[in-house]
Amino acid sequence: MPRDPRYDILFEPVRIGPVTAPNRFYQTPHATGFGWQRPQSGAALRGVKAEGGWGVVCTEYCSIHPTSDDSPYAFLTLWDDDDIAPLALTADAIHAHGSLAGIELWHGGAHASNRMTRVPGIAPDAQPALYHLPTTARAMDKADIRAFRGWQRDAAVRAKRAGFDLVYVYAGHDYLPFQFLSRRTNARCDAYGGSLENRVRLLREMIEDTREAVGDTCAVAVRLAVDELHGPEGITSEGEGREIIEMLAELPDLWDVNVAGALGNDSRSARFSAEGFQEENVAFVKSLTTKPVVSVGRFTSPDRMVSQIRRGVQDFIGAARPSIADPFLPAKIREGREDEIRECIGCNICRAANNEGVGLRCTQNPTMGEEWRRGWHPERIAVHPRRETALVIGGGPAGLEAALTVGRRGLEVTLAEAGDAFGGRLLREAALPGLATWMRVRDWRLTMLDKLPNVQLYPGSRMGAAEVAEFGADHVVLATGSRWRRDGVGVYAIRHGVFPEALTPDDVFAGARVTGSVVIYDDEHYFMAGALAERLAKQGHAVRYVTTAALASSWTVLTNEQDFLQARLIEAGVEIIPLKSLTSQGKGEVALSCVYTGREERLPCGTLILATGRLPEDSLWHDLVTAGISATRIGDCLAPSSIADAVHSAHRFARLLGEPDLPPRRERAPERSL
């Protein structure tokens, strides 16, 4: 289909200093979990983004010196000339599709723990390391500042030799240049501290040094946090953030602006923010500079993108998470296929991967991170060599993904769903506060399935072993989901308990009556217990949230949501009771014990809700085994987990159909001849 002319503005070239971006789609720097250890994986991932039409594609953070070591997390390095060739793989992969390659030069300052290099950390002044380690970053003297400026220049020159078109000066996310900018982290009394002009001095020098080193052929980009979200004691977009832009307005070739305070502020999940949520903090920048501006906001709607440009909020559409969910988002808009955009749901599973120190993953896009190690492409898949049929049972996330991917491979596919609507667990979970975007997992797959004439969907079609046998498919796939446990077994409590009157989340979603004071017991630690507590509190119930962990929904620390979540529960009036395990339920009360001392206490309880773990709904599989019918379990039916894992499980099954199940490729040192 031809492109909608409303979106023509998104495909205009934009000059950035000495280089020109082919369009306004800008993949801002984001972590991959690959870093310097896995250069081929990183290059393949960025190459797919460029192939998908992103006019500028940037790397993750790239350390300029061993005093900035983020181990065990994956980061890039330009410490010496040996780093040039591995990074050239990424620049070349981006250039192969006509896009500009950007590199984010980084020094963490007090945020760099230096676990690998074991050299002392540095900061504007002596301060505790910000990773809560028993160590202190030492104060930089004038010689250290001169050396630091040299590291930036040297890294910029190496980046140019590697082939990059944009070189970043990174003053965002509370890293070293920003630590000099903020009064909260800079108590110096010399030319680099005190007044704002002094605190800006290092950033000004870094921009000038970088331009002098590489500005003849490379654009110099500045990533700046214009608001710390700490109020008047920090940098704000109404105060010093605005003044910094005014001071340096024309120095860089591009401004990449965002909010700081914590990484979770910039990459806030959809549960706690709307699309374009940073606009109120960054919109002023365009009025103060003639240089192009880019920012982010989890943009997936082309109409909202156009609005950002036409209203003068920014010149580019910055994206990290939307480019992960759909690397081909720009190409789909260009080709008039906006309905095929695989929209980011803002679940922050991608952030969890980075915080766990593993390769990037995505709920919507199961190929993300698998481009090199498995050879998966988000838009291409091999046709199955034989004309065969597949029966997929269960229309939740895994079933929909299996039907779609097997259908794309050319099999005749039947998808049978016992309920009247497709979506499985999404029908329940997306109804919780802030999680409506999760329904995109279902909606995109239904849209794409509707385009496949070889896939037939049958809601309201419960299948038993006899019906499966009668159907006679070549491949039977079970995606029948999971159910919440009733026995209290969870992460902490590995022994079965007896809770005869307790409800599970399944019961609550099914409309079970909730009366009296509510106790929600969380021994699973992801989103469910916290989201239920919030919903019930909003409905007027008195809610106590009991958890064996120290924090509410403690696993959401990894998705950068936990602090937002705990604050919201407190504001909703939920009483949070940490570090307690549930031992028994009696008439009108529950018994708890301290996870450390075993000391017992009792709480009044009208309704007890257990959110401790899930079991697979695999009774049909057992029936099929008994009947001698071969079937493959996928998703929660095989191993209950996140939606991202369910989708990946289904996609992996479909990719491997008829193929050998080989281990993923690993990046190794070159072989030596013996």
Side-chain angles (χ1 to χ4, degrees):
M1 294 178 60
R3 179 171 76 224
D4 189 323
R6 290 180 300 164
Y7 307 139
D8 286 350
I9 193 172
L10 300 175
F11 295 90
E12 295 174 346
V14 180
R15 188 81 178 168
I16 313 173
V19 298
T20 299
N23 59 44
R24 296 183 185 271
F25 293 96
Y26 192 113
Q27 183 249 277
T28 52
H30 71 74
T32 63
F34 297 139
W36 61 269
Q37 301 97 327
R38 290 178 283 280
Q40 295 179 94
S41 298
L45 184 150
R46 304 297 181 188
V48 166
K49 302 281 196 77
E51 182 188 354
W54 295 89
V56 180
V57 178
C58 298
T59 68
E60 60 262 61
Y61 59 146
C62 179
S63 171
I64 63 174
H65 190 264
T67 52
S68 185
D69 159 29
D70 207 29
S71 299
Y73 306 105
F75 59 100
L76 298 174
T77 55
L78 272 173
W79 294 350
D80 55 36
D81 288 356
D82 287 344
D83 285 324
I84 295 172
L87 277 168
L89 294 174
T90 292
D92 291 346
I94 295 168
H95 290 155
H97 301 283
S99 302
L100 297 180
I103 187 165
E104 185 181 51
L105 302 185
W106 165 76
H107 198 294
H111 265 293
S113 55
N114 302 342
R115 291 177 175 93
M116 176 179 67
T117 62
R118 300 194 70 180
V119 298
I122 56 176
D125 46 59
Q127 56 187 272
L130 298 177
Y131 260 117
H132 307 293
L133 299 173
T135 188
T136 298
R138 67 178 179 83
M140 296 171 68
D141 59 23
K142 293 290 182 63
D144 292 321
I145 291 174
R146 286 193 299 271
F148 171 73
R149 291 175 58 188
W151 303 337
Q152 172 74 19
R153 284 193 299 268
D154 292 345
V157 170
R158 293 183 183 116
K160 177 181 175 179
R161 290 173 57 193
F164 287 93
D165 308 291
L166 287 85
V167 177
Y168 265 78
V169 175
Y170 190 5
H173 298 129
D174 294 340
Y175 293 133
L176 184 57
F178 191 86
Q179 291 162 24
F180 272 85
L181 292 175
S182 176
R183 288 173 295 184
R184 298 176 61 249
T185 47
N186 183 350
R188 299 174 71 98
C189 298
D190 62 1
Y192 291 91
S195 69
L196 180 60
E197 183 177 2
N198 281 356
R199 285 180 277 126
V200 170
R201 188 182 307 277
L202 180 61
L203 178 56
R204 181 189 295 275
E205 292 172 342
M206 291 176 70
I207 299 170
E208 293 170 342
D209 292 341
T210 306
R211 178 181 293 283
E212 180 181 346
V214 300
D216 55 335
T217 60
C218 298
V220 177
V222 172
R223 195 172 213 188
L224 176 69
V226 296
D227 202 313
E228 291 184 81
L229 303 182
H230 284 299
E233 69 180 60
I235 288 173
T236 66
S237 52
E238 298 88 7
E240 290 189 341
R242 174 179 288 269
E243 293 176 50
I244 294 168
I245 297 290
E246 289 173 335
M247 289 179 182
L248 306 176
E250 302 302 308
L251 270 186
D253 297 309
L254 174 135
W255 286 100
D256 178 344
V257 290
N258 59 11
V259 295
L263 280 171
N265 288 327
D266 185 29
S267 56
R268 203 172 303 174
S269 74
R271 188 174 177 184
F272 300 102
S273 67
E275 183 177 350
F277 68 96
Q278 295 200 33
E279 179 176 335
E280 63 179 315
N281 300 106
V282 305
F284 73 91
V285 176
K286 273 286 293 171
S287 67
L288 300 179
T289 179
T290 65
K291 302 302 177 73
V293 174
V294 63
S295 188
V296 294
R298 217 174 52 253
F299 297 109
T300 61
S301 162
D303 292 310
R304 191 179 292 272
M305 296 175 190
V306 169
S307 173
Q308 290 278 304
I309 305 300
R310 293 204 182 281
R311 291 186 295 110
V313 178
Q314 53 185 320
D315 299 282
F316 289 96
I317 299 303
R321 288 170 291 176
S323 75
I324 294 168
D326 198 336
F328 276 68
L329 183 153
K332 291 174 180 177
I333 299 174
R334 184 183 66 231
E335 297 163 8
R337 298 187 290 129
E338 304 91 78
D339 63 323
E340 296 185 13
I341 294 173
R342 192 190 289 108
E343 291 185 276
C344 172
I345 70 171
C347 65
N348 277 13
I349 281 291
C350 54
R351 291 294 309 138
N354 181 69
N355 290 329
E356 289 176 310
V358 297
L360 193 59
R361 59 181 180 261
C362 175
T363 297
Q364 277 282 59
N365 177 12
T367 69
M368 181 51 52
E370 307 284 13
E371 298 85 356
W372 183 85
R373 71 173 195 158
R374 295 191 189 273
W376 292 359
H377 190 279
E379 302 297 313
R380 295 194 296 269
I381 191 168
V383 173
H384 191 62
R386 294 177 297 280
R387 293 182 61 85
E388 294 180 336
T389 60
L391 172 63
V392 180
I393 302 174
L400 290 166
E401 177 65 28
L404 175 60
T405 310
V406 172
R408 290 175 62 202
R409 297 201 62 189
L411 282 75
E412 293 292 328
V413 181
T414 299
L415 175 58
E417 162 57 40
D420 294 331
F422 292 98
R425 59 186 285 188
L426 293 165
L427 297 173
R428 303 181 293 275
E429 293 172 6
L432 291 168
L435 302 186
T437 57
W438 289 23
M439 195 58 79
R440 293 174 175 177
V441 174
R442 180 198 70 173
D443 294 346
W444 179 79
R445 285 162 178 80
L446 287 177
T447 295
M448 300 305 292
L449 283 165
D450 190 53
K451 298 174 183 283
L452 295 178
N454 56 317
V455 180
Q456 305 300 317
L457 277 57
Y458 293 93
S461 301
R462 184 174 295 278
M463 303 286 287
E467 288 81 9
V468 173
E470 182 180 356
F471 196 90
D474 295 311
H475 304 279
V476 178
V477 186
L478 301 184
T480 47
S482 62
R483 64 187 183 278
W484 284 89
R485 304 184 70 123
R486 297 185 176 279
D487 55 12
V489 172
V491 173
Y492 174 84
I494 61 172
R495 295 186 181 86
H496 292 212
V498 179
F499 308 101
E501 298 179 11
L503 303 179
T504 69
D506 294 326
D507 298 324
V508 176
F509 288 125
R513 190 164 175 237
V514 176
T515 60
S517 61
V518 177
V519 173
I520 297 180
Y521 178 58
D522 185 7
D523 198 17
E524 188 243 7
H525 310 299
Y526 189 21
F527 68 90
M528 180 57 73
L532 275 179
E534 182 182 350
R535 184 169 90 166
L536 292 172
K538 287 181 176 178
Q539 292 174 350
H541 296 279
V543 180
R544 292 184 174 91
Y545 172 102
V546 178
T547 176
T548 56
L551 304 169
S553 297
S554 60
W555 195 81
T556 62
V557 166
L558 297 172
T559 57
N560 295 136
E561 296 177 287
Q562 200 284 324
D563 49 352
F564 298 113
L565 182 149
Q566 187 133 348
R568 183 171 288 182
L569 291 183
I570 292 170
E571 290 168 357
V574 174
E575 181 183 355
I576 299 171
I577 304 174
L579 301 172
K580 296 291 182 358
S581 67
L582 177 69
T583 56
S584 65
Q585 178 184 20
K587 187 176 179 59
E589 65 178 15
V590 292
L592 310 175
S593 67
C594 173
V595 299
Y596 292 118
T597 67
R599 184 179 300 133
E600 292 195 352
E601 63 181 272
R602 296 183 181 274
L603 287 179
C605 176
T607 301
L608 171 64
I609 301 172
L610 303 175
T612 62
R614 289 175 290 140
L615 293 169
E617 285 284 11
D618 57 1
S619 58
L620 177 56
W621 180 76
H622 289 288
D623 292 343
L624 293 175
V625 170
T626 301
I629 301 171
S630 176
T632 301
R633 293 170 292 171
I634 61 172
D636 287 351
C637 176
L638 177 64
S641 187
S642 66
I643 298 171
D645 285 343
V647 170
H648 187 275
S649 168
H651 192 87
R652 182 172 181 271
F653 159 77
R655 289 267 182 177
L656 289 175
L657 196 63
E659 305 289 339
D661 185 2
L662 301 175
R665 288 198 292 175
R666 282 88 71 208
E667 301 196 34
R668 299 186 173 102
E671 293 183 4
R672 292 191 318 169
S673 58
L674 300 177

